[in-house]
């Protein structure tokens, strides 16, 4: 593994990680509007954002977007990656 590749994948930039994994978020989102909505909620999360104040509703939306059994981000990753 090159130093540049390691630097790019050992961080919490979900869009960049998806690119490196060849996980075509745009194509999946076009095929599944619910996934696209969930990805839009999750993609901007970062290690810095976890220290920012969030409402309970925002936290619940994030958890649902990740865990939703049929259209959630984690389910999609498990299915295609």
């Amino acid at each position: 593994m090159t130093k540049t590749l390691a630097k790019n994948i050992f961080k919490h930039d979900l869009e960049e990680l998806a690119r490196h994994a060849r996980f075509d978020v745009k194509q999946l989102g076009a095929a599944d509007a619910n996934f696209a909505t969930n990805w839009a909620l999750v993609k901007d999360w970062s290690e810095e954002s976890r220290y920012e104040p969030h409402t309970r509703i925002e936290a619940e939306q994030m958890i649902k977007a990740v865990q939703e059994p049929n259209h959630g981000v984690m389910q999609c990753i498990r299915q295609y990656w």
Side-chain angles (χ1 to χ4, degrees):
M1 179 181 310
T2 68
K3 184 176 181 180
T4 302
L5 176 60
K7 184 179 178 183
N8 288 334
I9 63 172
F10 288 106
K11 60 183 175 179
H12 291 90
D13 182 333
L14 298 180
E15 289 188 313
E16 187 158 339
L17 290 171
R19 279 192 298 278
H20 282 286
R22 296 186 176 109
F23 186 67
D24 192 342
V25 176
K26 288 182 183 181
Q27 181 180 8
L28 293 169
D32 182 348
N34 291 326
F35 169 77
T37 299
N38 288 334
W39 178 258
L41 285 168
V42 171
K43 71 176 179 63
D44 293 328
W45 181 88
S46 70
E47 61 272 23
E48 291 88 18
S49 69
R50 67 181 167 189
Y51 298 110
E52 297 169 0
H54 298 281
T55 67
R56 181 183 183 112
I57 292 171
E58 290 172 325
E60 289 171 351
Q61 288 174 332
M62 175 71 78
I63 292 167
K64 181 182 175 193
V66 172
Q67 294 181 344
E68 188 179 15
N70 297 316
H71 308 281
V73 173
M74 186 58 69
Q75 175 63 20
C76 194
I77 290 170
R78 286 182 180 142
Q79 184 177 356
Y80 292 101
W81 185 35

